[in-house]
Structures are given as structure tokens and as C-alpha cells.
Amino acid sequence: MYSQIILLAVIMIIIIGRLIGTNISFMKQVMASLSSVIVTTSVYWYTFLRYRSNTDSFEADGWLWLLSMVIVSLLFYLLFEMFDPIPLGERGERLTDTKNPVRRLSAWWRRQRRYVQVLMIALKNGVGKNLAIKRSSASDQKVAVSLRRMLEDCGGFFIKFGQVLSTRSDLLPPAVIEELSHLQENVARLTTAQVEEILTKELGRPKDEIFQKFEMEPLAAASIGQVHRATLLEGGKEVVVKLLRPDITSKLQRDLDILVRFAAWASKKSAWARNIGFLDLAKGFSAAMKEETDFRIEARNFAQVKASLANSRTKVKIPHVYPELSNAKILVIEYMEGVSVKSGTAILDERGIDRQEVQRQIFDCMLEQIFIKGIFHADPHPGNVYILNDGTPVLLDFGSVGRLGTLQQDSLKRLLIGFEQRNTYVIMDALLQLVEPQQEIEKEGLEQALSQLLVQTAYGVAGSSDAFIQGLFRMIGEFGFSFYPNVAGAFRSLITLEGTMAQLNPLFSLMDESRRFAREHTAEFLPVSDYSDLRKTATNEFLEQLPVIRRLPRRLDHLGSMLEKGEMSVKVGFFSDKANTSFVTKWISLALLAFVGTAFGGISIGLLSISEHNTQDELNIVAVFGYAGILISAILLIRVAIHAVRNLKQVKE
């Protein structure tokens, strides 16, 4: 009996899998087939077999049982497809690390438990209640305190997220910035055994064959990794060894998933959270953290930035990376003897080095990366900017690096020039190149707002340039714009840099120093600086437009002929977009399949109705066709339902 049920289940797996093209896991296919066999067999026995003395004969009710088994199996497949939590890609592929249902269930349970824990911490600290309050200075202070307490209680990457938020003075009110700046990471250090295990595993040989000396006491410990000082056996060079925490991947995925969920919850609760793009901030932080857990990316960033600054006028140093000793989980870089910029003022004063000159070296190096080179350090906070014992500045930690295209670099340059010239049109033109495109842009309103902002920040009043930046970001939010992620990264880097530069020069002004940099790099900012440049630029522009000018008479003549003959037409290119074409084609095919399935069902019901009038004992051909049609109708309609569910679960990149 049991062997027959298992055999039937195997047959169901083969048949149903071919009929509907399922994407559910093999375990769920087995469960669906077994469930259909058990359910239909139980009903068949309870309805027919228990009343029959001779069970060896296979009559019409037996065929009805097999037909029901197929249909019920299809329904179980649909049920499992509907409640399968795994998202699908554009081609219907499964976007998951594992197909093992036990592991997925275990991971899901851990995420849900952590999510509930974070949500309870947020509610306990009054985050939801304070977010719902109308904006004011008092409410900002309440939000700041409750958010800081919540992030501290959650720990892990939540604290790091709070530290990143504390640099976003472009989006967050001063009260929140001030409160979040007090967040401190308190991370347990790796044990000596853990360090030894990581080194042996990642280096592929004992550390004594590579390092002459390795200090087990770390220089620093963070949520992602731990840093140790060492001396290479070959050449006796001092290096820093950065180790990735062994349990970081699972914790990272769990906490970042919860962080994005929390940001979505906060955005639903508060218009303020929506306006500042709290969810986008969480998603951006999540993407950055995932990159920082692969040290190969950081090694590549070190090399690219260092190569881009090879001929730089500044004297800022970038440490050398040892690629032969580095991989995804270990990074070996040149050791730099010095202190962070916050403590470096003492070194500069002791050696009689002008602080303002060092500040300009660092600032010019960063602006050269952003405006000229196109690849820049995205997180220049005081801990990542060092002053060596001889007073030379150094940039450290290239885990987060931004990249800008030439179009965005030119737009940023024009934005700075527009502010310098107090020209609303130049600023607006540059700004529209830096934000993501929108269908409707209220240019008149934007122009008026920009002109008002220029008036409010005019006449060189102290802090006017900083007020312009704050006002610009506020205006972007009010008009519903959003900067491209890499452009937002550049602004974020500049704002972070502003706080770092204030450590060396309390009177530092971001816009004033930016204007000075533009004046000193006129050739890069203004392609036309004298008459010869003007003539050369005009010649180049004319040569670029010459092919278009030569074709213009023929095009005008052709256009006139079409107008004269009444052949002028306008085409709407909805189907020129492949995504639109694919969407319409997909749903039309499902609609046609559903129509065919419904037609088969209707015809089959009619045939069964006709067969009831035939009372002869011989085989009723009409009834056979009716039941076959019911089966085909069920297969088609359930296939449509399964593919509709699958399409809704697809993740659009």
C-alpha cells in the first residue's frame, strides 16, 4: 500500500513538473505530490472503496480518483508557489543562497526574532512616538535622543549606521547630528586563537614564514574587522594587517536586512523620515557595508586612488598595499607612524608647520579627486585622515570610494562657478544634470527658489557659503528631487571633509576654500581662459557640429515634402522600451492562456451535461471528453495562476 502511494507520488512529480514548469524546490514538489496522493486516496476510500466488496476491478470512479489526484496536486503546487518567500530574478531564477528549506527557515526565524527585538527597542525608546510628532526644535531633540538610545541598545551595525548619519548635516537637523556624534562603538576584540586561525587559513602558511614580528594586541577593533601591527620578514618593513571578523557575513546580512526593514517602518510612520530619504540612506549604507566586507575591493580602491594622484600637486600620501599578501579577508598595507588629524595639531605646532597649509593640502587633494580625477575617498572623517610625525598628511581606509563620470564632474564645476558668479541659470542647469530625471520639473519655481537662496546667502556674510549648501539640499527635498547616488556620495564626502578640516582650522569655510581651489585650477574648471583658448574651443565646437549642419538642408527639404503631401505622422514609442514590450507580451500571453482554459472548462461542463442524458451502460465517449476537458482546463488555469504569482515575485533590478 505504502509503496503504491510513493510510486503514485513520483509519477505526480514527473507529470506535474512537466505540465506547469515549476520553480519550487524538489522538497516542496515531493510534499505537494505526496499530499495530493494521500488526500485524494483517503477521500476515494471513504467515498467508494469501503462500500465495495470487490476492490480488484478499476471502474469509472477509479479514473475520477486519478483525475482528482492530478488537479489536487496542481492546487498544492500553486499553494507552495504562493507562499514561497524566495524572490525570483528577471528570468525567473531563484535569488537565494540556499535551497535547503531547513536552513532557510532557520535563517528566517533568526531574522524575524532580531527584527522583533529591534522593533521593541525602538518602541521602548519612543522612536515611533517621537517620529510622529510635528517638526520643531523640541521634537528634533526628542527624536535625536530616542534614536541614539535605540541605536546604542541595538549595537552592531546600527551604531555604525548612526555614526554615518552623524555626518549628514545636509539632511538632518543640528540636534540629531549633535546627539548621534556621541555614539561610540564598543566591539569585543578577537582572541589570540581566533587571530592565529584567521592568519593560518587566509595566508596559507604559518605567519612566522611571512612576519618577523606580529603584535597580537590590536591597534583598533571595529564591527567589520580588527587591525594589527606587524613587521615583514622580507625587508623588515612595518605593515598594518587588517583582519575580517570570522562571523561577520551572517551578522552583516541579518542586521542590514533588519536595518532596511526598520527604515521602511520609520518612513511609514513619519513624513520627516520620508522627506530626508531615511530608507534610501539605509539602503546606501547597506550597499557600502557589503563592499567593505571584501578587502579585495579596498585593495583595488587604494591602488586606483594612488595611481590617480601620481602627478598631484599636493603632498598627501596614500599607503602602499601588498597585494601578494592580501585577499578578501585579510589586507596588508604600509604602516604610517602618526596620529589622527584631531590629535595631529600638536605635532604640527611642535614642528612649526602651518596648520592652514596642511589643511589646504588635504582639502585640495580631496577636491582634485572629486572634480578632476573622478575617483575619491568617500569617508574622510578625522579617523581616516592622519598626520605623520614629520607633518605629512595621509589618507587611510579606502573601503568606501566614490566614482564620478565626466558629465557629473562638469556639472559640479558649473555649480561652483554659478555660485561664484551668483548666476541662477548656471546653477539650475548644473543642478538638473546632477539629479535623477523626472517627468515633470517645475523650472520656474526652482529658478525662483534658487534666486531667493542666492539673495539670502549673498554679500560674503560669515557662514553664507555653508548656508547655501544647506539651503540647496533643503530645496532638493522640497521639489522632490534626489541626487544620483554617486553625486550624493560626493556631497557627503565634502560635508564630512568640512568637519575634518575644522580640526585644523576652526575658521574653515567649505565654499570659500572651494572657490580658491577653482581659481588655482582655472584650466580644469574653465576650458576658455584667454583668447587663444576661446578660438580653439569655438573651432572644436564648429567641427563637431559640421556633419549636422551639412545634413540640415536635405532634412529640411524632406520635411517640407512630407508636409506638402500630408504624410507627416507622429509615433508614440511605448513599445520601443523592451521592458514595456516584455510586460505587455507576458500578461497578454497569460490572458490568452486563461481564456483557453476557461473555454475548455465551459465546453467540458456542456459535454458532461449532455452525457447525463445517455443512460446506456457502455462507455460514454462524451463523458470521457468532458472529463478530459476539465483536466486540461484545470491545468491551464492553475498554470496561469502559478506564473502570475511568479511574475509578481520577480525582483526588478
Side-chain angles (χ1 to χ4, degrees):
M1 178 65 178
Y2 294 112
S3 60
Q4 293 173 342
I5 291 177
I6 293 173
L7 179 61
L8 280 172
V10 172
I11 294 172
M12 286 297 102
I13 291 172
I14 297 171
I15 293 174
I16 305 303
R18 295 295 179 270
L19 287 175
I20 64 173
T22 183
N23 266 7
I24 63 175
S25 64
F26 178 74
M27 183 63 67
K28 287 188 177 179
Q29 294 181 48
V30 171
M31 290 170 62
S33 301
L34 274 176
S35 300
S36 68
V37 170
I38 293 170
V39 169
T40 53
T41 303
S42 301
V43 173
Y44 179 51
W45 177 85
Y46 185 81
T47 309
F48 294 101
L49 290 184
R50 68 174 183 158
Y51 299 115
R52 188 181 299 168
S53 57
N54 182 15
T55 58
D56 294 333
S57 61
F58 196 79
E59 301 178 3
D61 51 87
W63 291 106
L64 182 61
W65 166 52
L66 291 178
L67 176 64
S68 303
M69 189 183 301
V70 173
I71 295 175
V72 171
S73 182
L74 286 168
L75 291 173
F76 272 112
Y77 270 62
L78 174 60
L79 183 68
F80 282 125
E81 185 75 54
M82 287 176 63
F83 291 98
D84 187 359
I86 298 177
L88 303 175
E90 290 284 354
R91 298 182 298 277
E93 72 275 16
R94 299 165 68 84
L95 302 178
T96 180
D97 295 332
T98 176
K99 290 185 177 181
N100 189 315
V102 177
R103 290 182 181 176
R104 282 209 317 272
L105 182 62
S106 175
W108 175 85
W109 172 249
R110 288 196 300 270
R111 285 197 306 271
Q112 296 305 313
R113 188 174 59 182
R114 175 66 167 161
Y115 180 57
V116 171
Q117 180 189 22
V118 169
L119 204 57
M120 294 303 295
I121 291 173
L123 293 174
K124 182 187 74 173
N125 287 291
V127 173
K129 178 180 66 176
N130 290 325
L131 281 173
I133 300 175
K134 188 176 180 180
R135 285 287 309 280
S136 66
S137 299
S139 65
D140 286 347
Q141 185 62 38
K142 289 181 179 179
V143 168
V145 173
S146 58
L147 186 60
R148 177 187 59 78
R149 289 176 178 172
M150 175 253 177
L151 294 174
E152 282 180 340
D153 290 346
C154 291
F157 290 97
F158 286 86
I159 292 179
K160 196 167 185 67
F161 180 57
Q163 292 172 337
V164 171
L165 288 180
S166 69
T167 66
R168 295 306 305 268
S169 57
D170 57 316
L171 295 176
L172 300 175
V176 178
I177 297 296
E178 174 65 23
E179 194 68 31
L180 294 182
S181 64
H182 298 147
L183 283 169
Q184 296 294 329
E185 229 175 346
N186 186 17
V187 182
R189 297 181 176 183
L190 296 174
T191 63
T192 301
Q194 287 177 312
V195 173
E196 292 277 5
E197 182 182 354
I198 294 171
L199 289 172
T200 303
K201 181 180 178 182
E202 299 304 327
L203 294 173
R205 46 183 168 156
K207 74 176 191 308
D208 294 338
E209 295 182 9
I210 299 174
F211 301 110
Q212 177 183 330
K213 179 183 177 184
F214 190 95
E215 296 181 4
M216 285 297 173
E217 185 68 21
L219 293 174
S223 54
I224 292 177
Q226 189 163 290
V227 178
H228 293 260
R229 186 175 177 179
T231 305
L232 291 177
L233 191 62
E234 184 179 349
K237 295 180 179 178
E238 298 282 327
V239 294
V240 168
V241 182
K242 193 174 180 180
L243 306 176
L244 189 71
R245 289 182 175 273
D247 57 347
I248 191 63
T249 303
S250 59
K251 288 183 178 180
L252 177 80
Q253 291 177 345
R254 183 197 66 186
D255 273 10
L256 293 182
D257 177 64
I258 300 306
L259 180 61
V260 172
R261 287 170 179 259
F262 167 74
W265 170 79
S267 298
K268 288 179 181 178
K269 293 279 293 182
S270 168
W272 174 72
R274 288 192 299 274
N275 291 338
I276 68 167
F278 193 56
L279 180 57
D280 291 334
L281 285 173
K283 288 180 178 179
F285 172 77
S286 176
M289 284 297 100
K290 288 175 182 176
E291 281 198 1
E292 288 192 33
T293 55
D294 188 343
F295 289 159
R296 290 173 299 187
I297 296 176
E298 185 172 353
R300 182 195 66 194
N301 293 341
F302 263 106
Q304 288 181 338
V305 175
K306 188 169 186 176
S308 71
L309 297 175
N311 299 319
S312 174
R313 303 180 192 176
T314 64
K315 299 178 182 179
V316 179
K317 293 192 66 175
I318 309 292
H320 172 71
V321 176
Y322 294 85
E324 67 279 6
L325 299 176
S326 304
N327 56 34
K329 297 183 179 180
I330 187 170
L331 182 67
V332 181
I333 61 177
E334 177 186 2
Y335 176 75
M336 297 287 187
E337 185 73 46
V339 294
S340 72
V341 68
K342 193 172 184 178
S343 307
T345 52
I347 294 177
L348 298 177
D349 292 342
E350 181 182 339
R351 293 183 172 271
I353 300 174
D354 185 7
R355 292 190 194 181
Q356 192 170 354
E357 178 58 31
V358 175
Q359 167 252 299
R360 286 182 175 177
Q361 288 284 327
I362 300 170
F363 185 77
D364 287 6
C365 178
M366 284 298 304
L367 261 65
E368 183 179 353
Q369 294 173 42
I370 293 173
F371 286 100
I372 300 172
K373 303 301 182 181
I375 178 170
F376 60 91
H377 195 304
D379 191 21
H381 64 75
N384 288 338
V385 181
Y386 261 48
I387 304 296
L388 299 185
N389 291 339
D390 62 358
T392 306
V394 180
L395 290 179
L396 302 175
D397 193 355
F398 284 82
S400 180
V401 161
R403 291 172 175 82
L404 292 171
T406 53
L407 178 63
Q408 292 161 340
Q409 286 177 289
D410 290 340
S411 299
L412 284 171
K413 291 173 186 176
R414 281 187 286 121
L415 187 69
L416 183 59
I417 292 169
F419 177 74
E420 173 69 18
Q421 298 177 348
R422 323 300 294 177
N423 191 316
T424 304
Y425 302 105
V426 174
I427 294 175
M428 186 171 72
D429 180 63
L431 195 61
L432 292 178
Q433 293 291 328
L434 297 173
V435 297
E436 295 183 352
Q438 297 201 358
Q439 292 182 347
E440 295 183 5
I441 299 175
E442 191 185 345
K443 288 190 176 181
E444 292 80 6
L446 180 61
E447 183 181 332
Q448 289 291 333
L450 282 171
S451 63
Q452 287 293 322
L453 181 61
L454 284 174
V455 171
Q456 292 169 6
T457 57
Y459 308 118
V461 178
S464 62
S465 56
D466 301 332
F468 174 77
I469 295 178
Q470 300 291 340
L472 189 63
F473 275 98
R474 187 168 56 253
M475 187 186 308
I476 288 294
E478 290 173 356
F479 279 84
F481 295 136
S482 58
F483 284 116
Y484 285 107
N486 46 1
V487 174
F491 278 115
R492 189 163 56 246
S493 179
L494 287 172
I495 292 166
T496 304
L497 182 66
E498 181 181 25
T500 303
M501 295 297 93
Q503 304 291 332
L504 292 170
N505 179 14
L507 300 178
F508 175 82
S509 171
L510 178 63
M511 292 303 295
D512 290 344
E513 287 295 307
S514 298
R515 287 199 294 264
R516 175 194 58 79
F517 178 84
R519 287 193 298 270
E520 293 177 2
H521 295 77
T522 307
E524 288 86 357
F525 273 76
L526 293 174
V528 180
S529 56
D530 54 31
Y531 178 75
S532 61
D533 287 340
L534 178 61
R535 186 175 58 183
K536 183 179 178 182
T537 301
T539 303
N540 291 336
E541 291 290 337
F542 178 76
L543 290 174
E544 287 179 7
Q545 297 300 322
L546 187 59
V548 178
I549 295 172
R550 293 179 62 184
R551 291 195 299 268
L552 190 58
R554 290 199 303 272
R555 289 187 174 182
L556 289 174
D557 181 62
H558 180 63
L559 182 61
S561 299
M562 291 178 66
L563 286 171
E564 185 179 357
K565 296 177 182 179
E567 297 176 352
M568 196 74 173
S569 61
V570 178
K571 294 182 180 180
V572 179
F574 177 80
F575 290 102
S576 61
D577 189 342
K578 291 183 179 180
N580 294 338
T581 305
S582 175
F583 175 82
V584 173
T585 304
K586 186 183 296 180
W587 287 103
I588 287 179
S589 64
L590 289 179
L592 289 174
L593 201 59
F595 174 76
V596 172
T598 305
F600 262 105
I603 294 171
S604 302
I605 291 172
L607 291 174
L608 291 175
S609 177
I610 294 171
S611 70
E612 290 180 358
H613 301 289
N614 189 349
T615 56
Q616 299 178 2
D617 294 335
E618 60 270 15
L619 182 64
N620 191 334
I621 299 299
V622 177
V624 170
F625 278 109
Y627 284 117
I630 289 289
L631 175 61
I632 294 172
S633 175
I635 291 172
L636 291 177
L637 291 176
I638 294 177
R639 183 184 178 94
V640 167
I642 287 176
H643 281 274
V645 170
R646 195 172 297 159
N647 290 337
L648 292 174
K649 292 195 298 180
Q650 284 185 355
V651 176
K652 305 299 180 185
E653 296 298 335

